[in-house]
Amino acid sequence: MTVDNAAAAMVPGTHIAPQTATSVAKSTTVAKSTAEPTGGPPAADPLAWLADHARAREAAGLRRRLHPRTLAPTADGAGVRVDLASNDYLGLGGHPTVVEGAARALRAWGTGSTGSRLITGTTALHGELEAALADHVGFAAALVFSSGYTANLGCLTGLAGPGDLIVSDALNHASIVDACRLSRAPVAITPHGDVAAVAAALAAGGWRRALVVTESVFSADGDAAPLAELHGTARAHGAVLVVDEAHGLGVVGPTGRGVLAAAGLAGQPDVVATVTLSKALGGQGGAVLGTTAVREHLIDTARTFIFDTGLAPASAGGALAALAHLRAHPELPAAVRHRADELAALTGAPRPAGAVVSVVVGEPEPAVAAAA
């Protein structure tokens, strides 16, 4: 059950599908607050409008609040038995083998990477992790970023720009939405899973280069993209298929290699993948996978790689240990999919493609209440 995506879409003054210069799908807006400043003398408090927006979100049932986790057990002493909210799909975030991998890296390299990847922020662990990820997912090369979010930003802004076209699914994650905006490329937002609309956007022409971008397993709805059909369409028009495997890695495909591997598309020269280390691998970080040329290009051009501090060595060490554990226990992806199927049957939700079970509640307020 995901409340954040719906809430983000309904914040006053924002769009559900704000990626676009040339949108194929209609976007919906919520009226802006009537208290917006209209000019004149300086206000006594130039940030007073924040309170108006907070009240509007409160009235719409869209206020977000932090709920810190603690190490203390519950009142009955049982602790947490079932976690329906975490992205730690395989339970590796607290697994002793993975924790020890992170601890070894922490003892060896310290708490931080000490700089950007191009200066002092690349350790031997980063190289090991990139090689292991590329081998597991089935690509020639990988480049590790500080998060899955920055991996998507670096990938799309590095591969597209003015004069290019990005064709983006209407339900793509916020990191893809922001990457489309920052690329300054025209963006065609196509209805969810609509391959014909993707073909029409590409056939319209007027672009120098084109990317078709989608999630493999969608983070809110839990369904899978039609990757084989999208790849065929992209290839027919000379476009590159970019697939966010955040919810596919570790969950779908042989040994959790992802939806691209399951579809026989991993390693294709016109396919680029992004992954996160913060879901099935239980840690933090992200990566872009593709050809060696893609990796080298992003090292030179991806601003979220060049100017961001490198992934902490402990995160790299934990991810390496998690990946090794996954490969040693190939039954784990099937186990989490079985649990997801059970939850879907219990709640009447559609059968999920991965570990995301989408229970549609309806309105924001009951959705927030149900999440609580």
Side-chain angles (χ1 to χ4, degrees), residues 13-68:
T14 65
H15 298 263
I16 288 178
Q19 303 150 283
T20 183
T22 56
S23 178
V24 176
K26 292 182 179 179
S27 63
T28 304
T29 61
V30 176
K32 289 186 177 180
S33 167
T34 57
E36 294 285 1
T38 57
D45 181 1
L47 292 176
W49 62 272
L50 295 176
D52 296 325
H53 280 244
R55 283 190 291 269
R57 291 193 297 272
E58 188 78 55
L62 298 176
R63 285 299 301 275
R64 294 176 171 88
R65 291 176 174 84
L66 298 176
H67 302 282

Side-chain angles (χ1 to χ4, degrees), residues 287-299:
V288 179
L289 300 102
T291 64
T292 301
V294 166
R295 181 182 190 273
E296 296 302 315
H297 176 76
L298 293 180
I299 289 174

Side-chain angles (χ1 to χ4, degrees), residues 88-199:
D88 184 12
Y89 294 138
L90 305 181
L92 297 183
H95 193 282
T97 300
V98 178
V99 172
E100 179 56 30
R104 283 197 305 270
L106 183 65
R107 289 190 291 266
W109 295 97
T111 58
S113 64
T114 76
S116 67
R117 288 287 309 273
L118 291 172
I119 310 299
T120 59
T122 296
T123 70
L125 286 175
H126 291 82
E128 291 178 35
L129 178 57
E130 287 168 345
L133 284 169
D135 179 65
H136 183 70
V137 183
F139 283 84
L143 188 66
V144 166
F145 289 71
S146 61
S147 70
Y149 207 112
T150 56
N152 274 337
L153 291 185
C155 176
L156 293 180
T157 59
L159 295 179
D164 300 328
L165 174 68
I166 301 177
V167 184
S168 179
D169 190 286
L171 296 189
N172 276 338
H173 187 261
S175 59
I176 296 174
V177 174
D178 289 350
C180 289
R181 291 170 171 169
L182 291 172
S183 74
R184 296 180 295 163
V187 182
I189 304 175
T190 53
H192 180 51
D194 191 334
V195 179
V198 172

Side-chain angles (χ1 to χ4, degrees), residues 101-368:
R104 283 197 305 270
L106 183 65
R107 289 190 291 266
W109 295 97
T111 58
S113 64
T114 76
S116 67
R117 288 287 309 273
L118 291 172
I119 310 299
T120 59
T122 296
T123 70
L125 286 175
H126 291 82
E128 291 178 35
L129 178 57
E130 287 168 345
L133 284 169
D135 179 65
H136 183 70
V137 183
F139 283 84
L143 188 66
V144 166
F145 289 71
S146 61
S147 70
Y149 207 112
T150 56
N152 274 337
L153 291 185
C155 176
L156 293 180
T157 59
L159 295 179
D164 300 328
L165 174 68
I166 301 177
V167 184
S168 179
D169 190 286
L171 296 189
N172 276 338
H173 187 261
S175 59
I176 296 174
V177 174
D178 289 350
C180 289
R181 291 170 171 169
L182 291 172
S183 74
R184 296 180 295 163
V187 182
I189 304 175
T190 53
H192 180 51
D194 191 334
V195 179
V198 172
L202 292 171
W207 43 268
R208 177 182 56 176
R209 293 185 289 267
L211 304 177
V212 175
V213 60
T214 182
E215 297 182 54
S216 62
V217 175
F218 283 84
S219 56
D221 284 39
D223 59 333
L227 293 187
E229 294 84 353
L230 287 173
H231 179 250
T233 298
R235 177 167 284 185
H237 290 86
V240 171
L241 178 64
V242 179
V243 180
D244 182 348
E245 284 270 38
H247 300 274
L249 178 65
V251 176
V252 181
T255 324
R257 291 176 59 202
V259 185
L260 281 168
L265 297 175
Q268 291 293 315
D270 53 356
V271 175
V272 175
T274 61
V275 297
T276 181
L277 313 179
S278 64
K279 295 183 170 52
L281 298 185
Q284 188 167 354
V288 179
L289 300 102
T291 64
T292 301
V294 166
R295 181 182 190 273
E296 296 302 315
H297 176 76
L298 293 180
I299 289 174
D300 286 337
T301 62
R303 293 173 67 83
T304 53
F305 178 85
I306 298 168
F307 297 106
D308 192 16
T309 299
L311 181 69
S315 294
L320 274 166
L323 193 56
H325 186 82
L326 170 61
R327 299 185 75 159
H329 296 274
E331 73 279 5
L332 289 176
V336 73
R337 293 198 308 272
H338 175 67
R339 292 294 184 221
D341 287 346
E342 288 183 322
L343 285 171
L346 286 169
T347 58
R351 184 178 182 182
V356 179
V357 179
S358 180
V359 181
V360 178
V361 177
E363 298 300 319
E365 287 182 341
V368 170

